[in-house]
Amino acid sequence: MTKEKFKIPTSEPDVTDSNEDTSVNLKPKMSLLNGVTVIVGSIIGSGIFVSPKGVLMEAGSVGSSLIIWSACGIFSMIGAYCYAELGTLIVRSGADYAYIFEAFGEFPAFLRLWVECMIVRPCSQAIVALTFSYYIIEPLFPDCEQPGVAVRLLAIISILVLTFVNCKDVKWATRVQDIFTYAKVLALLLIIITGFVQLARGNFEYLQTSFEDSETDVTKIALAFYSGLFAYNGWNYLNFVIEELKEPSKNLPKAIWISIISVTVIYVFTNVAYFTTVSPMEIKSGAAVAVMFSKRLYGIMWWIMPIFVSLSTFGGVNGILFTSSRLFFVGGRENHMPKVMSFVSINNLTPMPAVLFMGLLSLFYLVSSDMYALINYVSFVNWGAIGLSVFSVLYFRYTRPELPRPIKVALIWPIIYTIGSILLIILPIYAKPVETGIGILIIASGIPVYVVFVAWKSKPKFLTNAIDKGTCFLQKLLLVVPEEKKLL
């Protein structure tokens, strides 16, 4: 396969007269507000509701944990700022997969795609769907454990429903994302307002000695930082669907700044609110802190918080499915996945095969008991890929300085983020060498797949014919066709 250079648009695509555009491809239907809800909805999941114990345990004190929550937001903002340059320079969906492909070639890009598509994304979606199920039925079983069969069945239903929505219409998917993002932000604002009321009543016992028992071990502080950054994971998800964002040069940076600043403020104040009611020891115990908070302060209305958590996670499932399917789509476009993945529905103009594959793979992982372990094994890959993408800002400045850059960041920011990413890669190797070794083996499993299906060009005719027949069958079954190239 000949590597295709990315296209540099001389102007923004015309989205004002989209009714006359009859070409079959993914349309730029997402507004600035949709972009904000994709980022915010992808970042805010169940973690901030369930238990922010990871940061507190390693930081040692309330004050140190609040500083780390703020620092993680700033670090995420630096990465997002660098991605704003990349997203407006390479106006192509796929985010770090597309950036690594263009900068360093198809082999490292394929390995990133392999781990992300086959393990990280479907596993994450299955986990979030299970969390949704646990919390949506918790009010029905307040004093006992939820039945496992019912939880998994509800998780299956949620994935199937959202798979249908994402196959049907991009606007339906973004509307779902909007509504459930509003719900999760409303829940956190409710917690924050309640926290301010608690402070006004003088309930700041745990904040008075906020830096007592602060951790001074650099390794533990780094682990706290690592835990905090996981709660901000998802800030780069809008870059995965950049081709469907209206006026990306204007709306991408705006969406990034609005989202990251808002989430950082919300996260810090939510933690402050928790500490007005729940003790640090209780948070370290791993309790579902938002539910405990609501039981102590909202009386018979305590059940509202599990409902809000379930709404938050339902929106999270939709965000993962929406963005991940575009990663499958771009992989098919580059012949790194079956070609049918890059086909578009004739009737709905959605990447139906990619959405269906993502949904079905997530259902497969629901029957597995090891998906949490799989995620932990390959988690360091995320920082490696994002760090390599941010480093590509420096690479493109050196190798392609002539390209137009609607957004041009100061070089100090990609340098800082690249150094930070290197530390985040080294940390798990030092702290968990066995798990990291297993993760490396999982990544290496993509090498023979790459050799057989990508690098091997002269495949036997019977094999290529079989692949073509399979593609044709799926094309007829799903009523999908190859996308028509956009003229820029």
Side-chain angles (χ1 to χ4, degrees), residues 9-27:
T10 55
S11 62
E12 296 286 1
D14 181 13
V15 296
T16 60
D17 195 21
S18 58
N19 290 333
E20 295 183 5
D21 183 2
T22 59
S23 60
V24 180
N25 49 43
L26 303 184
K27 308 296 184 186

Side-chain angles (χ1 to χ4, degrees), residues 104-359:
F104 308 110
E106 64 177 7
F107 178 62
F110 176 84
L111 292 181
R112 168 58 172 169
L113 182 73
W114 172 255
V115 174
E116 193 76 0
C117 286
M118 302 308 294
I119 297 174
V120 175
R121 294 303 185 93
C123 272
S124 298
Q125 181 161 290
I127 290 169
V128 176
L130 284 173
T131 307
F132 158 75
S133 303
Y134 277 119
Y135 279 91
I136 196 68
I137 63 176
E138 180 173 354
L140 301 177
F141 302 91
D143 301 317
C144 60
E145 188 175 349
Q146 298 93 331
V149 174
V151 168
R152 289 189 182 269
L153 181 60
L154 193 55
I156 291 170
I157 292 172
S158 68
I159 291 175
L160 290 176
V161 168
L162 289 174
T163 299
F164 170 77
V165 168
N166 279 266
C167 284
K168 183 62 179 176
D169 195 337
V170 171
K171 287 187 176 180
W172 285 19
T174 55
R175 193 168 293 124
V176 167
Q177 193 68 16
D178 291 348
I179 293 170
F180 287 92
T181 298
Y182 299 151
K184 67 179 71 178
V185 171
L186 179 62
L188 291 173
L189 290 177
L190 177 62
I191 292 173
I192 291 169
I193 292 169
T194 306
F196 279 126
V197 172
Q198 287 288 87
L199 289 173
R201 290 175 174 174
N203 295 307
F204 42 76
E205 173 190 351
Y206 306 122
L207 296 169
Q208 282 182 315
T209 55
S210 57
F211 288 97
E212 197 173 275
D213 300 322
S214 292
E215 187 59 63
T216 56
D217 187 334
V218 175
T219 305
K220 289 195 173 183
I221 293 172
L223 286 172
F225 195 73
Y226 200 78
S227 296
L229 285 174
F230 272 109
Y232 285 91
N233 191 36
W235 55 259
N236 60 334
Y237 276 21
L238 186 57
N239 290 66
F240 283 94
V241 294
I242 190 71
E243 292 178 31
E244 295 167 80
L245 179 67
K246 298 175 182 177
E247 300 182 284
S249 296
K250 294 179 181 179
N251 289 332
L252 178 62
K254 286 181 182 178
I256 285 172
W257 288 115
I258 293 171
S259 303
I260 307 298
I261 292 173
S262 299
V263 170
T264 302
V265 172
I266 288 172
Y267 273 8
V268 172
F269 281 110
T270 299
N271 277 277
V272 171
Y274 288 153
F275 290 124
T276 65
T277 304
V278 185
S279 72
M281 191 60 65
E282 288 172 319
I283 293 177
K284 288 179 182 179
S285 71
V289 61
V291 176
M292 184 182 295
F293 184 90
S294 66
K295 283 183 176 180
R296 291 182 181 178
L297 298 178
Y298 300 152
I300 60 172
M301 295 296 292
W302 71 270
W303 52 266
I304 193 173
M305 200 52 64
I307 297 298
F308 272 128
V309 175
S310 64
L311 293 177
S312 173
T313 49
F314 189 79
V317 175
N318 184 71
I320 295 171
L321 179 58
F322 181 70
T323 57
S324 301
S325 60
R326 273 57 181 179
L327 187 58
F328 284 83
F329 177 83
V330 177
R333 179 193 281 169
E334 301 293 350
N335 292 327
H336 283 178
M337 297 200 78
K339 195 67 180 175
V340 72
M341 293 290 182
S342 65
F343 287 8
V344 179
S345 169
I346 297 173
N347 298 321
N348 304 322
L349 299 179
T350 59
M352 186 182 291
V355 173
L356 288 173
F357 186 75
M358 176 64 187

Side-chain angles (χ1 to χ4, degrees), residues 118 122 126 159 358-368 371:
M118 302 308 294
I159 291 175
M358 176 64 187
L360 292 174
L361 196 55
S362 301
L363 293 177
F364 169 78
Y365 277 109
L366 276 177
V367 304
S368 170
M371 52 188 170

